[in-house]
Amino acid sequence: MTFGRLVWRDLLRNPLRLGLTILAGAVGVTAFIFLRTVIDLFYFGAEAAQVDRLIVRNKVSITQPLPLSYYARIAALPGVTAITHQEWFGGTLGETQKDFFANFAVDASTFLEVFPEFTAPSGQLSAFRSDPCGALIGDKLARRFGWKPGDRVTLKGQIYPGDWTFNVRGIYTGTRPGADTTLFVFSYPCLNESAQLPEAAKDQAGIYAVRVDDPARSGEVAAAIDGMFANSPYPTKTESERAFQLGFVAMSSAIVTAIRVVSTVILLIILLVIGNTLAMGVRERTRDLATLRAMGFRPGKVVLLVLAESAVIGLAAAALGVLAAPSLVNGFARLIASQFGQLPDNVMQVRTLVLSVLAALAVSLLAGAVPALRAVRLPVAEGLRKVA
């Protein structure tokens, strides 16, 4: 009998127990993929950050504005190739957050210069830039609400009270995978020049986004910006776009840590389930394994036999889990999208699937190690006297 047939025969010794073990492992792998995908969503913004882009915000808090007069002074600094500003608007379609989506007031003339991962037809872009209340929306958001150029959209301001009506002038798309096409941006003058906006809130920007000519000089440019406004009433904090995005993740660090802990616990559960099954299998086959050793099987080959069984169980569980995970993740994405806005495409990444398969295999081998070592440490004569 070949080694492979011997492994197969031992695996099928108790088909029901084998099937339940693989099923339990698959549930664990599915849950692991789901939780890791949720963690990836927290870091989506940081992953999409560009190395040549800096974010300038108020040093006191992200909620505090910066004067619009900073624009020209930052733009004049050596190393700065483009600059734009934007203000979080926070409007909603209704009174609730049910149809939430991100919306910003932006400098229409420079927005796409700093964010080249977005593109729109030249005619639509010209219309957006020439209309003080023009809006440019991502194609994914447009599909969600059926919007098209020429439509008028009214948002209820949560930060800036009142109804605000914008003219959809263009639909932008992403020029690279991962570009966020769920945004709603509109021309800054529509907000800043409105009679609805108090005088004290005019000529202010939420953040400045800056592109530098050389990513290696980012630290130098950031220091120059912060140094220029260090003694002003509105000191700045300039950081890379990635660091800026990670700052938002840090606000949810407790949640992210909890999800990481739960995903680790799931791996331990898989370890215990498969380990228990293998331990029972090895105990039932104590006499068989002793017979193999009496026939000349070396201890290493007996260990390899048990580890091969555990590897088959782990890979089978991983395969089932990987097949089942997309349904769960996509259902979760639809639920989140209905409450908090559209999620980016491909929320479940290939690296997550690969990690889950490797983790299931490693845990299975670890679970099989103890029963395998116990099988070879038992003296042959004692093993032959064992009755399962």
Side-chain angles (χ1 to χ4, degrees):
M1 181 178 291
T2 63
F3 184 79
R5 289 196 62 184
L6 189 60
V7 173
W8 184 247
R9 191 205 65 176
D10 288 341
L11 281 171
L12 296 181
R13 180 183 291 268
N14 191 328
L16 178 60
R17 185 170 64 199
L18 174 65
L20 292 176
T21 301
I22 292 176
L23 186 60
V27 171
V29 170
T30 302
F32 179 77
I33 294 173
F34 172 74
L35 293 175
R36 297 299 303 189
T37 300
V38 172
I39 293 175
D40 288 341
L41 285 176
F42 278 94
Y43 289 92
F44 174 77
E47 295 292 333
Q50 298 298 295
V51 295
D52 65 344
R53 210 152 50 206
L54 300 174
I55 303 298
V56 185
R57 65 176 179 87
N58 193 303
K59 186 177 182 179
V60 176
S61 169
I62 184 65
T63 61
Q64 299 299 312
L66 291 171
L68 202 59
S69 59
Y70 282 12
Y71 183 95
R73 299 177 65 183
I74 296 174
L77 286 173
V80 175
T81 59
I83 177 174
T84 190
H85 62 84
Q86 61 187 46
E87 177 78 20
W88 171 254
F89 183 68
T92 59
L93 281 176
E95 297 291 346
T96 68
Q97 296 285 335
K98 181 179 179 181
D99 295 321
F100 172 82
F101 53 86
N103 42 87
F104 300 88
V106 302
D107 181 7
S109 62
T110 57
F111 178 65
L112 293 190
E113 293 178 9
V114 179
F115 295 92
E117 63 266 37
F118 304 143
T119 185
S122 58
Q124 295 182 9
L125 197 55
S126 297
F128 167 58
R129 287 170 172 167
S130 61
D131 185 348
C133 284
L136 188 68
I137 59 179
D139 63 340
K140 199 168 186 177
L141 184 64
R143 289 197 303 272
R144 179 185 175 192
F145 293 106
W147 291 332
K148 58 186 183 304
D151 288 352
R152 289 172 62 83
V153 177
T154 298
L155 300 182
K156 292 187 175 299
Q158 304 299 316
I159 301 173
Y160 306 98
D163 291 342
W164 301 74
T165 301
F166 307 101
N167 308 311
V168 177
R169 294 303 184 190
I171 309 293
Y172 77 82
T173 56
T175 59
R176 60 174 173 77
D180 186 359
T181 55
T182 64
L183 302 179
F184 182 106
V185 299
F186 59 90
S187 294
Y188 179 72
C190 192
L191 172 67
N192 194 52
E193 298 174 5
S194 171
Q196 295 175 255
L197 190 69
E199 285 298 323
K202 291 184 181 295
D203 296 332
Q204 295 181 341
I207 62 168
Y208 290 99
V210 177
R211 288 188 72 186
V212 296
D213 56 356
D214 182 1
R217 296 184 59 195
S218 295
E220 177 187 340
V221 174
I225 295 173
D226 292 342
M228 187 162 53
F229 305 112
N231 297 317
S232 74
Y234 301 93
T236 60
K237 180 178 180 179
T238 305
E239 54 196 343
S240 67
E241 186 180 22
R242 178 178 174 79
F244 178 74
Q245 295 291 346
L246 289 176
F248 288 100
V249 178
M251 297 178 188
S252 307
S253 60
I255 297 175
V256 174
T257 301
I259 296 174
R260 290 188 192 278
V261 171
V262 172
S263 65
T264 304
V265 169
I266 287 174
L267 290 181
L268 293 177
I269 293 174
I270 298 175
L271 175 71
L272 294 175
V273 169
I274 297 179
N276 181 60
T277 298
L278 290 172
M280 287 192 293
V282 170
R283 187 169 62 248
E284 292 172 356
R285 291 183 286 123
T286 300
R287 177 181 287 184
D288 295 345
L289 295 175
T291 301
L292 291 175
R293 291 178 59 195
M295 293 171 60
F297 273 57
R298 300 180 67 83
K301 199 161 189 177
V302 174
V303 171
L304 187 60
L305 176 67
V306 178
L307 292 181
E309 294 175 22
S310 60
V312 170
I313 294 174
L315 290 175
L320 280 179
V322 168
L323 289 175
S327 299
L328 178 64
V329 172
N330 291 334
F332 171 74
R334 285 194 293 272
L335 176 63
I336 292 298
S338 65
Q339 300 293 325
F340 300 102
Q342 203 73 19
L343 296 178
D345 293 326
N346 303 321
V347 293
M348 191 171 62
Q349 301 184 15
V350 174
R351 69 183 182 192
T352 302
L353 300 180
V354 173
L355 175 63
S356 65
V357 172
L358 293 178
L361 179 60
V363 166
S364 301
L365 292 175
L366 185 61
V370 174
L373 293 176
R374 289 181 58 188
V376 297
R377 285 177 178 172
L378 189 68
V380 174
E382 186 176 342
L384 291 173
R385 288 196 298 269
K386 286 280 185 180
V387 177

